[in-house]
Amino acid sequence: MRNKTTAKTNQVRPGERSPVSEPGPRRRLLDVADRLFSEEGVHVVGIDRLLEEAGVAKASLYTHFGNKDGLVRAYLEEHFADRREHVAQVLARYDSPRERLLGLFADVQDALAGTTFRGCRFVSASAEARPDESIGALTEEYRTWVRTLFTGLARSAGASDPKRLGRQLALLYDGAAVAARLDKDRSGAGAAARSAAAALLDAATVRAPSVGRQRKAAR
């Protein structure tokens, strides 16, 4: 026999949202922070505006993040996690180390050409950061990850000096995002970074001829 009371309780009237699908205060604050911080800047956007657009009370901010600095940190940590997952997905598309390395720059080129790109969140946030904020430490963690990522890819691709090439590629990776944020020609910044990465990789993986081959050529 059907339980009519339960069926009536689970019904949602037209125009109403199911309470299960409604995001909580923490999620709403993070979503609003992601949009406003990336569009306008971390310090430009005040607490009152964040609370108003998220539709939450100030107590929710303190409960979930402690203060605005905690919200900024959570916003960057979430972006960092998303970035690591995205990079892993890009690398999984390719077979050889060279393809994986250059595939990252192809992905950057596509991202920079899009209309939604507003610059690197870590670059923007750290440019505004004060010494007593947690942004600096998290940005350094992100930068270490980027350098380690490219150093590992450079080593797998056979670079003679993986650490040096890794730093060069990390500089290109970040520089492309900054250039695209400042220049009108976003696609040009991505294309330049991709071709420069290929040139650096080629130069770093050139093998000197063996001594035996040199002697044979001299005869």
Side-chain angles (χ1 to χ4, degrees):
M1 182 176 179
R2 189 178 176 185
N3 190 328
K4 295 183 179 180
T5 304
T6 303
K8 184 176 181 180
T9 303
N10 292 337
Q11 287 180 348
V12 178
R13 295 178 180 178
E16 292 182 346
R17 291 185 179 181
S18 170
V20 178
S21 63
E22 184 71 25
R26 187 180 190 278
R27 182 69 262 160
R28 295 206 301 274
L29 278 167
L30 280 172
D31 289 344
V32 169
D34 182 60
R35 175 171 56 83
L36 295 181
F37 288 165
S38 62
E39 290 178 355
E40 302 178 25
V42 168
H43 288 297
V44 173
V45 180
I47 291 178
D48 290 340
R49 186 176 175 198
L50 287 165
L51 298 176
E52 180 183 357
E53 297 211 17
V56 302
K58 186 174 291 187
S60 296
L61 173 67
Y62 296 141
T63 298
H64 294 290
F65 305 104
N67 51 30
K68 184 184 175 183
D69 185 51
L71 175 59
V72 173
R73 180 176 181 83
Y75 147 76
L76 290 175
E77 285 176 338
E78 188 166 82
H79 172 65
F80 191 6
D82 290 344
R83 170 55 48 181
R84 289 195 297 261
E85 181 179 356
H86 178 74
V87 166
Q89 292 173 352
V90 172
L91 295 178
R93 300 173 193 164
Y94 303 95
D95 296 325
S96 72
R98 178 186 174 84
E99 289 175 335
R100 286 195 288 271
L101 197 156
L102 296 181
L104 281 181
F105 283 92
D107 180 70
V108 168
Q109 184 177 359
D110 292 340
L112 299 187
T115 57
T116 59
F117 179 76
R118 295 185 180 279
C120 174
R121 288 171 172 81
F122 282 98
V123 172
S124 300
S126 60
E128 303 177 51
R130 292 187 288 265
D132 60 335
E133 294 177 329
S134 60
I135 295 175
L138 189 56
T139 299
E140 181 55 33
E141 182 182 345
Y142 169 75
R143 296 289 299 119
T144 300
W145 172 76
V146 171
R147 288 192 294 266
T148 302
L149 169 68
F150 281 111
T151 298
L153 290 171
R155 183 177 292 109
S156 298
S160 56
D161 190 344
K163 186 174 182 179
R164 180 184 179 187
L165 179 59
R167 282 189 169 273
Q168 291 171 334
L169 294 172
L171 182 62
L172 271 180
Y173 189 76
D174 289 334
V178 174
R181 185 72 175 87
L182 299 176
D183 298 342
K184 294 182 179 180
D185 184 12
R186 291 183 174 183
S187 60
R194 185 178 180 181
S195 62
L200 285 171
L201 180 58
D202 289 341
T205 53
V206 170
R207 292 288 185 267
S210 64
V211 175
R213 289 175 61 188
Q214 289 178 345
R215 289 176 177 174
K216 185 176 181 180
R219 291 176 181 174

